[in-house]
Amino acid sequence: MGMIDRFGRIADTYMTERDQLLDADEERRRVFVGHAFWPTEIIRDSIILAAIMAVISFYSWIIPPPLHSAADPFAQAGFVFPDWYVLFSYGYLRWGEYLPQFIIPAGPIGDFFGTPVIAWNAGWWGAALTGIPVGILTLPPFIIGKREKRGVEDPWFATAGAVYLAHVWFISVFSINIFLELYSKDLTNYCWSDSHNYLFCGRQAPWTADVFNAIPWVLTGIFLFAVIYFGVRWFVLNSIGARLRPIIGRQIAIGSLAAAVIISVVTWPIYDSGFWDYGGLGAMDEFEDLDAMRGQPSDTLVHTGKGNVWSEWEDDCLPYSETQTLAVWEDFDFDHEDTSDWCVIAAANWANWGIYQPTKKTIIDFAGDNGHADSEIGRNAGGSTVTYLGNSDGSLITVSDSSTFEVEDLGISRVPADVSCSFRTVYTDTGDSARNMGVHSQGIRLLDSSGSVLWENEGSTCESAGIYLSAGASYTVSVSFTSEGVNESISMATGFSVVAYQPLLLDDDGTAVVRFGSTLSLDDLTALSLENPTYHKNPKGLDAKLIYSMFIPCLGVGAIVFMVMRSMARGYEWEMNKCYGCDLCDDACPVRLFNAGDKLNIIYNTWNNEDDGVPLYSCLTCTACTNACPQLVDYDSYVDIRRNLIVGGPPATEIPHTLLQAVLAAEAEEDADDAFVAVEDYPIDSNVGYYPGCVDYIDQEMIFSHVNEGEMNLGETTTAAFTLFEEMDDDVTYLGRDFLKCCGHDQKWQGLSEVFEKLKAYNQKKLGDSGIDTLVTSCAECFRTFALDYELDGMKVMHTTEYLVEKGFDMDLMVEDDVTVTYHDPCRLGRQMDLYDKPRNLVESVDGVSLVEMEHHGEDALCCGVSSMMACNENSRALRLQRFDEVKATGAEVMLTTCPKCVAHFECLKFEGDPRHDFEILDVVSFLARQVNSR
């Protein structure tokens, strides 16, 4: 074809395309500046709507449940629609309780008002902090100017606004922390015994509290991801500039996500414990107060047949006959109560229904349920009581005593102990208290085995103290009492004791072990100790989490908004606004080869006026423009979303092979499921499955590649693949089109998302049930779709060439006569999946084959001109002509590729019979199999 004829054909093509656009639906001609429902403010309005719904849902659903069923319904209603200002103001007041308190001199003003000092307390903090968000509301008009900004115009400003709203939200939640505390106990996995000893459990599913509890940390993870991703991307972009390819960007995103998830998971205990190691961010009692907490899970008597969960706990409630030795029965009123009406809920069950002794790794038996202390035998306790009379003349009298005991070693090196004494004067004859009689003093000393004084108390006041003693050692407590000024009518009743507390021991049935009469050894007893599930868990953890939530999680909300603003190619302006009109995409776009016209920027013009850019249904989604774009504008995603916005799908005139596409669409329906073989009936004998794809399958059924007397039989691709698998002695299962449906590639890129999702759901479930862990295919489009658009958890998706290389393909193949070949990079396999070298490595491994590259190869390779929206028409023909010219320029005898659709449509041009196109077109897999068969 001469140059004049070629220009004429291009001009004719351009006019035809223009006429088609003029006749197209108005839907394609409108200037698209936003979503149809919210023309310009979709993000802002969506956030506002979501916030409103969240507030209403939160206060109408979460708050009322904790309130008692007998509560005043009008009082409940007051919490359903509260005053927003009161909420966040009161939230600051609650936070102020944990902030430092000051006494500030008021000076002359204070003297005037009669208040010399100002006590800067929670009230002052609340009032001062409330003014900050209220004051911020007055700033936007001065910052923005005379008109409002859309988020895409200034993502940072939109992010700041989102952070502000999130902060107000979380501080408002702080104001209802009391009700949240109630709600956290109104769960089915939290039970209690009421004043009537009825057993009750909460009503809400535990996951509701778990989700609410995790939200701040999830937002923290999102913030971490944003910081890592944008930080690394900024560094890489400044390092290599325009060489930052999309594949590198995806790798950065995946790495950042993995890092954020790992950090979040590793640091979750810090958050879940209420920031114990960080003082609860101010919301935690002093360590001494926490160490003094002595609550413990204990065996508890409950009334049989009572409470809202009796039917669930009936079998676990132990009767008197099995528990009569337990300490819980010591105070039971046997005279007026029937033991058959009562049973015991074992202590082990209560361990998860409260926070006990958070400073101790092992629960200590402070209640004495195990009976560790026995002063009579000197086990973990010592002491005695002494009563003496005064002298008749009131002279000085001195009484001394001592007691030695041993502290057992039950797995805790230092145990808590109480040292105490008592002293009182009474009338000898009546036993009544005799106050202010005589002068008395006492001296108490606690000594270790070496005689060192560990604790002492002297003077007129009898004091008690808590100390820690080393286990596995003996101790002596000695005491002396002196009295003067009392005669025999007055008696002095004195006592002293030291009790060392040991771990709480639970038997196999979860009840406390009773040591009286027990023959278990110390080692056996040690094994029964209860590890504290609330060790280092802040009792005020909820408030600590709410304080934290006011800051970092708010930045997580901002990160979400910022990332959304940066991805507005999916229905809004941001992605297109990144374009600065460099025209590099125009040079890279293969469609422009036959679209002709004046030079323009396809992205800028497509956004501002669709009719001036590449027509929506002419785009090949080949990623060539994104690959060339220094701003990495993801134009393929924009086209994908835009096509999905077309109501009713694309015009029929735009769909190639409409009959075939109709067949595949019908296949997606649930009614067609019966035509496919079930998993249990399909011969799957390997963990590797091979999917042929539609082109290969249809070619066998419809002789697709022979319609125009082509030479390539696409149906042989699968045969060729299995020839190689067998030669490598590799066991691969054939997952035919009688097992799986079409992958849905064409439907996805035609904008038929509903059809695609049906195909995806069917295939995804079936692959998951098949037991396959590696999915191999020779179709580049199937490979890309399964790998990127499906969620095949735990399944590796590979192209056949990639699989062969990974399996160590080395067959010593050779051709009979030396041959020169060239390789065409499919868009889906190359630019979109970054698979360039492995197909070439396979080809070059064959002796006698010389691989030469075309002018455009690798990342710059030309598209074959066919995608889900293009066929072998006059427009795409120009692309194949140029590609064939490049093949001829290399002198290659064979053009190889790895996409059956590329092969099929390159054959379309060969069908014309141009003698210049005398080279052979083959799939790489078929080329390799040919050499195997020729041996």
Side-chain angles (χ1 to χ4, degrees):
M1 181 185 295
M3 184 177 295
I4 300 299
D5 292 336
R6 190 166 182 175
F7 277 126
R9 185 181 294 276
I10 291 175
D12 181 65
T13 299
Y14 174 73
M15 296 300 294
T16 302
E17 185 73 21
R18 190 192 66 173
D19 292 341
Q20 290 177 355
L21 287 171
L22 292 175
D23 295 336
D25 299 332
E26 278 299 308
E27 182 69 32
R28 288 184 56 206
R29 289 186 48 77
R30 74 168 186 265
V31 176
F32 186 72
V33 294
H35 194 281
F37 190 63
W38 287 299
T40 57
E41 301 298 337
I42 177 174
I43 293 302
R44 185 200 66 182
D45 294 347
S46 296
I47 291 175
I48 292 175
L49 177 62
I52 292 173
M53 296 304 298
V55 171
I56 293 176
S57 299
F58 180 78
Y59 289 111
S60 63
W61 178 65
I62 292 186
I63 299 307
L67 299 180
H68 194 276
S69 58
D72 183 354
F74 294 100
Q76 291 195 34
F79 288 98
V80 176
F81 297 104
D83 186 307
W84 184 259
Y85 178 85
V86 171
L87 276 177
F88 83 79
S89 179
Y90 188 61
Y92 283 121
L93 176 64
R94 297 307 303 269
W95 181 30
E97 296 174 3
Y98 298 110
L99 295 176
Q101 315 291 306
F102 304 103
I103 299 296
I104 304 175
I109 298 178
D111 295 337
F112 177 79
F113 287 101
T115 306
V117 297
I118 297 175
W120 190 276
N121 52 25
W124 280 91
W125 274 116
L129 293 173
T130 297
I132 297 175
V134 174
I136 290 176
L137 292 177
T138 64
L139 297 179
F142 300 98
I143 298 175
I144 298 175
K146 295 183 178 180
R147 70 174 184 87
E148 64 179 1
K149 283 186 178 181
R150 289 178 291 184
V152 292
E153 294 183 69
D154 191 343
W156 285 106
F157 192 85
T159 300
V163 171
Y164 166 81
L165 290 175
H167 176 78
V168 172
W169 163 262
F170 279 113
I171 195 62
S172 300
V173 173
F174 204 159
S175 70
I176 54 170
N177 61 342
I178 297 175
F179 296 101
L180 292 177
E181 189 72 35
L182 289 174
Y183 179 74
S184 68
K185 296 178 180 179
D186 189 22
L187 304 174
T188 55
N189 61 351
Y190 186 94
C191 303
W192 66 93
S193 175
D194 70 356
S195 58
H196 301 291
N197 296 104
Y198 296 172
L199 181 65
F200 286 92
C201 294
R203 297 162 289 177
Q204 306 297 323
W207 68 264
T208 58
D210 293 337
V211 170
F212 188 81
N213 178 52
I215 288 175
W217 208 245
V218 171
L219 291 172
T220 299
I222 293 173
F223 174 67
L224 283 173
F225 166 77
V227 170
I228 297 171
Y229 172 73
F230 288 112
V232 173
R233 192 175 184 278
W234 174 86
F235 175 79
V236 174
L237 191 60
N238 280 273
S239 300
I240 65 177
R243 289 176 293 163
L244 177 60
R245 296 180 293 146
I247 183 61
I248 299 178
R250 288 192 290 270
Q251 291 170 347
I252 293 174
I254 294 172
S256 301
L257 178 61
V261 170
I262 291 173
I263 294 173
S264 298
V265 170
V266 170
T267 56
W268 166 259
I270 297 175
Y271 171 82
D272 195 44
S273 66
F275 299 94
W276 173 275
D277 294 329
Y278 303 92
L281 305 181
M284 191 169 80
D285 294 331
E286 296 294 331
F287 183 85
E288 291 76 11
D289 297 328
L290 295 172
D291 194 54
M293 293 177 63
R294 295 194 170 189
Q296 69 180 68
S298 296
D299 301 321
T300 304
L301 285 175
V302 298
H303 215 297
T304 59
K306 304 296 183 180
N308 66 341
V309 290
W310 173 250
S311 60
E312 301 172 21
W313 283 89
E314 182 177 3
D315 294 338
D316 295 316
C317 202
L318 305 176
Y320 174 74
S321 60
E322 299 178 16
T323 60
Q324 54 187 311
T325 60
L326 297 180
V328 70
W329 292 102
E330 292 178 359
D331 298 325
F332 187 76
D333 187 0
F334 290 96
D335 296 331
H336 301 92
E337 295 282 355
D338 187 350
T339 57
S340 64
D341 294 333
W342 298 82
C343 59
V344 176
I345 298 295
N349 296 305
W350 300 93
N352 296 317
W353 298 338
I355 294 182
Y356 309 104
Q357 309 169 20
T359 62
K360 298 173 177 61
K361 200 167 187 177
T362 302
I363 294 289
I364 301 298
D365 180 22
F366 287 107
D369 293 345
N370 296 132
H372 288 298
D374 190 339
S375 59
E376 293 184 2
I377 61 175
R379 184 182 70 196
N380 299 311
S384 66
T385 58
V386 179
T387 301
Y388 60 95
L389 301 177
N391 293 326
S392 59
D393 59 358
S395 61
L396 180 68
I397 183 172
T398 300
V399 176
S400 300
D401 197 5
S402 66
S403 176
T404 299
F405 63 96
E406 183 175 355
V407 177
E408 295 175 310
D409 185 356
L410 294 179
I412 300 179
S413 59
R414 288 177 58 81
V415 298
D418 284 339
V419 184
S420 63
C421 68
S422 62
F423 183 92
R424 64 190 182 97
T425 55
V426 298
Y427 290 105
T428 304
D429 53 352
T430 65
D432 295 333
S433 177
R435 298 181 180 278
N436 301 319
M437 302 296 290
V439 178
H440 312 275
S441 65
Q442 67 276 325
I444 301 177
R445 288 187 174 185
L446 178 63
L447 311 174
D448 62 14
S449 57
S450 66
S452 301
V453 177
L454 303 180
W455 180 86
E456 63 180 340
N457 171 226
E458 294 183 352
S460 60
T461 303
C462 197
E463 297 179 352
S464 300
I467 61 175
Y468 278 84
L469 298 178
S470 297
S474 61
Y475 300 88
T476 300
V477 56
S478 62
V479 61
S480 66
F481 294 97
T482 62
S483 299
E484 188 176 14
V486 291
N487 56 29
E488 63 271 14
S489 65
I490 303 298
S491 297
M492 277 62 68
T494 66
F496 65 97
S497 68
V498 178
V499 178
Y501 299 101
Q502 294 288 355
L504 176 63
L505 309 179
L506 299 184
D507 216 334
D508 293 338
D509 61 359
T511 60
V513 173
V514 178
R515 294 196 60 182
F516 180 78
S518 173
T519 59
L520 295 175
S521 67
L522 289 182
D523 290 338
D524 293 336
L525 292 172
T526 300
L528 299 176
S529 60
L530 176 62
E531 187 173 345
N532 190 354
T534 58
Y535 176 62
H536 280 189
K537 198 172 186 69
N538 182 5
K540 296 181 179 179
L542 174 62
D543 287 354
K545 294 173 184 178
L546 290 172
I547 291 174
Y548 172 79
S549 298
M550 293 189 298
F551 301 100
I552 303 301
C554 299
L555 298 178
V557 175
I560 294 174
V561 172
F562 185 77
M563 288 185 287
V564 168
M565 295 298 170
R566 287 180 52 86
S567 60
M568 286 301 98
R570 296 184 175 273
Y572 213 52
E573 295 128 11
W574 170 260
E575 190 72 19
M576 294 307 168
N577 284 348
K578 292 196 301 185
C579 170
Y580 52 70
C582 67
D583 289 334
L584 291 177
C585 55
D586 182 88
D587 296 333
C589 178
V591 176
R592 295 291 296 133
L593 180 66
F594 59 79
N595 205 28
D598 295 332
K599 191 173 183 64
L600 50 83
N601 180 278
I602 60 171
I603 292 178
Y604 179 83
N605 286 282
T606 300
W607 180 253
N608 288 276
N609 186 339
E610 186 180 305
D611 300 324
D612 290 341
V614 174
L616 184 61
Y617 292 106
S618 294
C619 177
L620 301 172
T621 60
C622 66
T623 320
C625 56
T626 300
N627 190 63
C629 179
Q631 292 292 86
L632 299 178
V633 175
D634 189 358
Y635 189 67
D636 289 351
S637 295
Y638 162 72
V639 171
D640 182 20
I641 298 304
R642 280 291 291 115
R643 287 175 179 171
N644 275 282
L645 291 176
I646 304 302
V647 180
T653 56
E654 299 290 349
I655 300 180
H657 313 301
T658 52
L659 176 60
L660 175 59
Q661 296 295 347
V663 171
L664 295 177
E667 182 179 285
E669 298 302 323
E670 189 174 347
D671 296 342
D673 292 356
D674 293 338
F676 292 83
V677 182
V679 174
E680 56 272 16
D681 298 329
Y682 204 83
I684 299 176
D685 52 9
S686 170
N687 65 323
V688 181
Y690 178 89
Y691 179 68
C694 292
V695 176
D696 188 349
Y697 170 74
I698 293 172
D699 192 60
Q700 298 180 56
E701 299 295 321
M702 302 173 61
I703 321 180
F704 182 76
S705 63
H706 291 260
V707 174
N708 292 318
E709 299 179 358
E711 297 176 359
M712 175 60 187
N713 181 4
L714 296 173
E716 292 180 350
T717 306
T718 297
T719 304
F722 276 88
T723 296
L724 299 179
F725 296 153
E726 292 169 5
E727 187 71 14
M728 296 173 65
D729 197 22
D730 200 18
D731 192 14
V732 178
T733 295
Y734 176 72
L735 304 180
R737 286 285 276 103
D738 56 345
F739 180 71
L740 293 175
K741 296 184 179 182
C742 171
C743 71
H745 171 275
D746 285 5
Q747 288 72 26
K748 169 181 169 56
W749 291 101
Q750 288 168 5
L752 302 174
S753 56
E754 184 177 352
V755 177
F756 169 70
E757 290 299 331
K758 290 178 181 178
L759 293 168
K760 172 183 172 182
Y762 179 86
N763 290 337
Q764 209 163 256
K765 183 179 186 307
K766 210 161 187 183
L767 285 169
D769 296 341
S770 69
I772 296 294
D773 60 25
T774 303
L775 180 62
V776 181
T777 181
S778 295
C779 175
E781 292 181 344
C782 294
F783 171 51
R784 186 244 184 246
T785 304
F786 283 128
L788 299 185
D789 301 318
Y790 278 52
E791 289 83 39
L792 299 175
D793 298 331
M795 184 174 295
K796 190 174 184 179
V797 181
M798 306 181 74
H799 189 267
T800 305
T801 57
E802 186 181 20
Y803 179 78
L804 293 174
V805 172
E806 184 176 282
K807 288 296 181 177
F809 180 87
D810 185 11
M811 298 185 182
D812 297 325
L813 299 180
M814 61 180 300
V815 293
E816 295 180 359
D817 299 314
D818 291 351
V819 63
T820 302
V821 302
T822 189
Y823 177 73
H824 166 77
D825 292 279
C827 303
R828 297 296 191 250
L829 198 66
R831 281 185 290 269
Q832 296 186 11
M833 297 302 294
D834 199 37
L835 200 58
Y836 297 105
D837 296 332
K838 291 180 180 178
R840 289 175 166 83
N841 294 340
L842 289 172
V843 174
E844 291 178 328
S845 69
V846 180
D847 289 343
V849 173
S850 175
L851 175 64
V852 292
E853 298 289 3
M854 288 179 272
E855 179 183 350
H856 295 90
H857 63 276
E859 293 181 358
D860 300 322
L862 289 178
C863 180
C864 70
V866 178
S867 74
S868 58
M869 302 310 303
M870 293 289 287
C872 289
N873 54 32
E874 196 62 32
N875 294 335
S876 61
R877 181 177 182 275
L879 289 177
R880 289 187 289 281
L881 278 172
Q882 179 168 341
R883 199 57 166 160
F884 276 17
D885 288 345
E886 292 189 1
V887 175
K888 290 300 293 181
T890 64
E893 303 165 59
V894 180
M895 181 176 75
L896 299 175
T897 187
T898 44
C899 174
K901 190 173 282 188
C902 290
V903 173
H905 294 94
F906 277 130
E907 284 285 325
C908 286
L909 186 58
K910 281 199 68 175
F911 295 161
E912 296 181 8
D914 191 325
R916 294 176 301 168
H917 306 152
D918 56 353
F919 48 84
E920 186 177 7
I921 303 171
L922 272 178
D923 186 279
V924 169
V925 175
S926 299
F927 177 76
L928 295 174
R930 176 184 293 180
Q931 314 316 319
V932 171
N933 293 330
S934 66
R935 291 198 299 190

